[in-house]
Amino acid sequence: MNASVPIKHTQAENDLFDRFDGAKGGLSGSVAVTALREAAVDSIRSKGLPHRRVEEYKYSDLRAFMKSAAPLAAAADADSVKAALDSHETFGDLDRFRIVIANGAFLAELSDVDALAAEGLTVTSLCDALAGEQGGGLLSAPKSGDGDGVIALNTAFVQGGVVVEVKDGAELSKPVELVQVAASAGAQITRNRIVVGKGAKLRLLETFVGDTGKGELNTVFDYNLADGASLAATRLIVGKSEAARLFTTVAKIGGEAEFKSLGFIAGPRFTRNQQFIEFTGENSEAKIYGVSMAGGDDLADQTLVVDHSVPHCNSREFFKTVLDGRAKGVYQGRINVAQHAQKTDGEMMTQALLLSEEAEMANKPELEIFADDVICAHGATSGQIDEDLLFYLRARGIPEAEAKTLLVLAFLAEAIEEYGEDDVTEGLEARVRDWLAGH
């Protein structure tokens, strides 16, 4: 007979339980949603926050990092939100539609709701959807992420977000930016359901503005691609922050569909960008890219699971990491191929560039294959700047600092340019230069 030993809760975990008890009445949702929230908190009570003894968090110990947990952010002041948006220049003058979430709540009055509707996209409040009969389905966990601690935190405390639906055959004339604004300190917990209809095409920019103080940012993007749909999602996790930045992608890809994403990390103290991708229809393709930059004592974690559940699908994963100071980079990638998923083609590559002797990179690419007619491969490299290339540039009169910048930019630009969204490339490469200027 095995008896479970109760864990000793940390200060952060006790803060979370107090947060839940204090906020429970103000968190929206149907009876089913409330039950899911309570089950998520019970899971945290029994397991604690994710820690190094959990295999998926071996290199990113959230329990050790979170010393306390701040209350949820209060309702945002409209003037503060407008001021934050006015100073938001991530993509310069790129013409785009905008959906605004501030302190966890959808702000329709600051979003291009009418213009989007005219192009075939509807956007509604997640809070309203959670209160409906189908609300519980919006908080479902991915197949490979069931029991994940970060998703459990999101389920327990989700304040709001949006439900975006693109009608069949629609192709928007310009990208859609979903921007989350911290108008004041406090934890922000959001979830966004993005449904792309049959044959529809959407380009999505996911950005964040402001500082949550000691409160974590935990957001889930739940993508559903119908047959023949296309989605390109660019995620920026940038700016200094001493609180955890926790991002989760859940994607289900229908038949003959195309999913493409880029996760860009630069600046926060502790970042985990995790993705759970599942093919549910045949003859589809997923291209997943990642660019991470970390310095000082920062940690940048890119974690990825791709489930090839059906035959005749292709996936490509390409991740680049640059580390300076005592920073730590993490890449955990796994391709799962089911027994009946014949004719699968999957390739995974992660490459790291270490700019200091104290920087550390943990690479963990994996393949789990149960089919026999497949093409799958993975690779990982870590190294320093090529001294021969550096000498070549310096011999032509380029100062050492500038030469290093050019080499690092070229290293990261390979992933950015292969991603292929030309209208965001300039903004992303400008972010790389900004980061390098500070290191």
Side-chain angles (χ1 to χ4, degrees), residues 369-381:
I369 303 171
F370 294 97
D372 52 17
D373 188 5
V374 303
I375 301 173
C376 289
H378 66 62
T381 66

Side-chain angles (χ1 to χ4, degrees), residues 172-185:
L172 277 71
S173 60
K174 51 189 178 182
V176 177
E177 180 186 20
L178 198 160
V179 56
Q180 301 190 75
V181 181
S184 59

Side-chain angles (χ1 to χ4, degrees), residues 5 39 47 65-66 76 103 138 165 238 251 265 275 306 386 400 430:
V5 179
K47 300 177 182 179
F65 175 77
M66 284 187 66
N103 286 17
L138 294 170
E165 297 179 278
V238 297
I265 299 173
Q275 304 184 64
V306 179
D386 189 315
E400 182 176 1

Side-chain angles (χ1 to χ4, degrees), residues 51-62 270-272 299-301 303 328-332 360-366:
H51 51 81
R52 62 185 177 85
R53 293 187 179 180
V54 178
E55 182 64 25
E56 293 81 6
Y57 288 83
K58 180 178 180 179
Y59 307 107
S60 306
D61 192 334
L62 182 62
F270 185 107
T271 305
R272 181 176 172 94
L299 178 142
D301 178 341
T303 292
K328 183 175 181 180
V330 179
Y331 174 79
Q332 300 180 103
E360 178 183 346
M361 183 69 197
N363 280 320
K364 190 185 174 188
E366 301 174 86

Side-chain angles (χ1 to χ4, degrees), residues 333-410:
R334 188 170 80 244
I335 298 176
N336 298 325
V337 183
Q339 185 173 3
H340 59 278
Q342 305 294 346
K343 303 296 183 181
T344 287
D345 187 344
E347 293 184 7
M348 179 189 303
M349 173 59 75
T350 169
Q351 298 177 333
L353 187 62
L354 280 59
L355 304 182
S356 75
E357 294 184 358
E358 295 179 294
E360 178 183 346
M361 183 69 197
N363 280 320
K364 190 185 174 188
E366 301 174 86
L367 301 174
E368 190 170 288
I369 303 171
F370 294 97
D372 52 17
D373 188 5
V374 303
I375 301 173
C376 289
H378 66 62
T381 66
S382 294
Q384 298 176 324
I385 286 179
D386 189 315
E387 292 296 331
D388 290 339
L389 291 177
L390 185 60
F391 176 79
Y392 177 86
L393 293 176
R394 295 190 66 192
R396 278 147 183 81
I398 300 176
E400 182 176 1
E402 185 177 346
K404 287 182 177 180
T405 296
L406 289 173
L407 292 174
V408 173
L409 181 58

